[in-house]
Amino acid sequence: MLINNQKGSYFLLGELFLDIELEYDLPFEKNLCGSCNRCMEACPTNAIISEGVIDANKCISYFTIESKTEIPEALSDKTENYILGCDICQDVCPWNKKFSFLTTDDNFKIRPFLENAELDDFLSLDQDNFSKNFKNSPIKRAKLRGFLRNVISVISASKDKKFISILEEFLNHEDELIREQARISIKIINGITSWTRIARISQIARIS
């Protein structure tokens, strides 16, 4: 992650393809972090294991965007309200606190669908509505199955038992990834230490 001492580290990277030779900048080698380790201290999953080194197997951004497997119980319990990605490490960076500001670009404004949406609304999305509501959004990188997995994970982090009945319906979902994430979430919310009860719930849901 590069830090600009006049702008911080929040950037969207882009490329220009030119047919002319350019004078290259000098390599960026200065360490602007100094003795600061706020990002390491703030990471809820301890994914930043040393200076400049991230363990992707502990990173919320990796699991909610890139990973195709279920979010492990140890992480699912700590995803807080992050459905896609996580910027905690950048949020706490002193450089960003100093230079960050709200953008005026309409492309970054919250969409009407999201403004008052509840977790229940996300779980009821089908492929057509998902594609419609998140058109041209990076959320589509996770695809519907990944998005549903992430929402179910966030529900487990809430520890709210009102979602149990909804999660039990997903125990019979056609996608194994969704079924597994639902089992993990039910286990976390109920504080269950054994998979036996989860298996029993799954059997009851299947019979009914």
Side-chain angles (χ1 to χ4, degrees):
M1 190 78 67
L2 295 180
I3 299 174
N4 182 305
N5 62 4
Q6 298 296 318
K7 297 181 181 296
S9 66
Y10 276 120
F11 292 101
L12 293 177
L13 301 181
E15 295 177 285
L16 287 176
F17 292 86
L18 305 174
D19 60 356
I20 59 174
E21 184 94 18
L22 295 178
E23 183 178 342
Y24 296 109
D25 295 329
L26 295 174
F28 188 91
E29 298 176 339
K30 188 174 182 180
N31 184 347
L32 296 177
C33 296
S35 60
C36 178
N37 63 351
R38 294 186 192 180
C39 56
M40 299 176 68
E41 293 174 347
C43 179
T45 59
N46 298 313
I48 309 175
I49 56 178
S50 63
E51 183 179 345
V53 180
I54 294 177
D55 182 353
N57 291 311
K58 296 180 179 179
C59 180
I60 294 174
S61 280
Y62 168 73
F63 270 101
T64 58
I65 300 175
E66 306 297 342
S67 175
K68 307 304 180 186
T69 65
E70 70 274 3
I71 299 175
E73 182 180 341
L75 260 68
S76 190
D77 197 21
K78 298 178 181 180
T79 51
E80 301 180 19
N81 62 342
Y82 289 89
I83 292 178
L84 191 90
C86 172
D87 285 327
I88 291 177
C89 53
Q90 292 204 79
D91 289 339
V92 300
C93 177
W95 292 101
N96 288 329
K97 285 183 173 294
K98 181 176 181 180
F99 292 111
S100 64
F101 59 92
L102 290 176
T103 180
T104 57
D105 190 330
D106 288 342
N107 290 307
F108 291 95
K109 289 184 178 179
I110 189 167
R111 301 188 180 198
F113 167 70
L114 295 173
E115 200 156 13
N116 298 305
E118 301 287 342
L119 291 173
D120 309 49
D121 300 322
F122 295 145
L123 290 177
S124 64
L125 286 175
D126 57 21
Q127 185 59 60
D128 288 340
N129 285 323
F130 176 76
S131 299
K132 174 184 176 183
N133 288 304
F134 295 115
K135 183 179 180 181
N136 298 326
S137 165
I139 288 179
K140 293 189 71 177
R141 286 179 60 186
K143 298 183 170 52
L144 177 60
R145 70 192 301 259
F147 181 76
L148 290 176
R149 172 202 60 189
N150 297 348
V151 173
I152 291 172
S153 176
V154 167
I155 285 176
S156 69
S158 76
K159 303 293 197 304
D160 195 333
K161 291 194 174 186
K162 74 177 184 180
F163 291 110
I164 290 293
S165 60
I166 299 175
L167 292 175
E168 288 177 349
E169 295 178 11
F170 282 92
L171 291 175
N172 286 323
H173 196 277
E174 62 182 6
D175 192 314
E176 183 181 358
L177 174 67
I178 306 302
R179 296 197 302 270
E180 182 63 22
Q181 199 67 56
R183 281 194 288 269
I184 291 174
S185 291
I186 292 173
K187 179 182 178 184
I188 292 173
I189 293 174
N190 281 330
I192 297 174
T193 57
S194 170
W195 286 100
T196 305
R197 171 61 178 158
I198 300 300
R200 177 60 180 157
I201 291 174
S202 181
Q203 287 297 323
I204 292 173
R206 191 172 292 113
I207 292 170
S208 60

